[in-house]
Amino acid sequence: DRSSPMADLPAGAGFGTLVHAVLERLDWAPDAVEAQAPVLVAELAPELGLTKSEAAQLAAALVDVCRTPLLPVSDLALTDLPVTDRLPELDFDLPLADAGAPATLTDLAALMAAWLPADDLLAPYPARLRASEAADAVLNGFLTGSIDAVLRLPDERYVVVDYKTNRLAPSAADDLTLAHYAPSPMAEAMMAAHYPLQAMLYCVALHRFLGSRLLGYDPARHLGGVGYLFVRGMAGAATPIVDGTSCGVFGWFPPAGLTVAASELLGGRRA
């Protein structure tokens, strides 16, 4: 089992912020990525206290991230996509309950449970959300956030992308391997951290954004799902593929009808 290219690099929020900052600005075109990654890392890494060797290791690892096929989201890698088809750091302010009574997270969980197929890796999540301490939270006011990137694929699908630097080894003493980023452990990590809720809200934000900006917008055609990129599990073109999924790439495809219904629920409109 192969070790992660980032196995011995630091953990923590500062490292995650660094990775996000590099990927936000990186020109990942095949003829540019290898030269630009070390420059960006060298520019940003000193704030984190990385050594020169750690900075070089991180730059090489981020090149690998960009060359990893994005299965099951797409058979393309980031380097196959023009940066002109990347919208980085999409900020949003979603008005909640502007058209009726506010919903709760329990209402949203019930909606997700009704729509998600039984074989969805995140199908157990709505029950976890209902059982959480936040279940009775009222969704009112404005929801403010930022999507790491929206990618436009060649088939005109738009995909929400979120970069994650989580270490998914059982403990700090375990060697971090690519196998820790197979679909099942990634799904468990997603649910434990409530990332499916985050992803659902991101899909609603993208739905409303495209609805106001894209001529002829059709949710069923244009909403391309979500790609959570656990970058420590992505090792380039030779990244292992497990059940149709590249290690490190968690693809989730909530039905377009769920996203539309969730947008209406958050706005206060009930079926």
Side-chain angles (χ1 to χ4, degrees), residues 224-236:
V226 174
Y228 270 59
L229 306 187
F230 289 83
V231 296
R232 292 183 193 264
M234 301 171 70

Side-chain angles (χ1 to χ4, degrees), residues 53-71:
S53 63
E54 287 175 332
Q57 180 184 350
L58 175 58
L62 290 177
V63 171
D64 284 341
V65 167
C66 293
R67 289 180 170 163
T68 302
L70 299 176
L71 296 166

Side-chain angles (χ1 to χ4, degrees), residues 4 6 10-12 15-16 19-20 162-169 176-177 180-181 185-186 188-190 192-195 198 228-234 248:
S4 161
M6 299 189 197
F15 181 76
V19 167
H20 279 76
D162 199 84
Y163 307 120
K164 296 298 184 188
T165 56
N166 309 48
R167 294 181 59 90
L168 300 190
L176 189 68
T177 69
H180 291 130
Y181 295 89
M186 285 193 296
E188 177 54 37
M190 290 279 296
H194 288 284
Y195 293 156
Q198 180 188 55
Y228 270 59
L229 306 187
F230 289 83
V231 296
R232 292 183 193 264
M234 301 171 70

Side-chain angles (χ1 to χ4, degrees), residues 14-257:
F15 181 76
T17 299
L18 170 62
V19 167
H20 279 76
V22 174
L23 289 172
E24 177 187 351
R25 295 167 53 184
L26 181 61
D27 180 354
W28 56 47
D31 58 352
V33 65
E34 280 195 24
Q36 197 182 70
V39 173
L40 284 174
V41 172
E43 178 184 334
L44 298 168
E47 295 181 18
L48 194 65
L50 291 185
T51 65
K52 284 188 177 181
S53 63
E54 287 175 332
Q57 180 184 350
L58 175 58
L62 290 177
V63 171
D64 284 341
V65 167
C66 293
R67 289 180 170 163
T68 302
L70 299 176
L71 296 166
V73 177
S74 171
D75 58 0
L76 303 176
L78 293 175
T79 51
D80 297 319
L81 299 172
V83 289
T84 51
D85 287 340
R86 170 186 68 187
L87 180 59
E89 296 297 323
L90 175 61
D91 297 324
F92 61 84
D93 290 289
L94 289 182
L96 303 176
D98 57 319
T104 65
L105 283 180
T106 294
D107 296 326
L108 184 57
L111 190 67
M112 293 173 72
W115 277 91
L116 291 180
D119 61 353
D120 192 304
L121 282 174
L122 298 183
Y125 177 70
R128 291 197 188 192
L129 182 56
R130 281 196 297 263
S132 71
E133 294 180 356
D136 295 329
V138 176
L139 302 171
N140 210 347
F142 279 84
L143 178 68
T144 299
S146 180
I147 300 172
D148 287 347
V150 174
L151 302 180
R152 180 174 61 190
L153 300 182
D155 61 4
E156 294 299 311
R157 287 186 298 129
Y158 291 78
V159 176
V160 169
V161 167
D162 199 84
Y163 307 120
K164 296 298 184 188
T165 56
N166 309 48
R167 294 181 59 90
L168 300 190
S171 75
D174 288 285
D175 181 33
L176 189 68
T177 69
L178 301 185
H180 291 130
Y181 295 89
S184 291
M186 285 193 296
E188 177 54 37
M190 290 279 296
M191 292 187 285
H194 288 284
Y195 293 156
L197 173 60
Q198 180 188 55
M200 192 74 258
L201 298 174
Y202 285 172
C203 286
V204 169
L206 178 60
H207 163 63
R208 293 190 185 180
F209 177 80
L210 293 177
S212 66
R213 302 290 185 93
L214 184 63
L215 188 66
Y217 170 59
D218 176 3
R221 177 186 167 203
H222 292 115
L223 290 178
V226 174
Y228 270 59
L229 306 187
F230 289 83
V231 296
R232 292 183 193 264
M234 301 171 70
T239 297
I241 297 172
V242 180
D243 296 333
T245 292
S246 293
C247 288
V249 179
F250 189 85
W252 187 44
F253 307 96

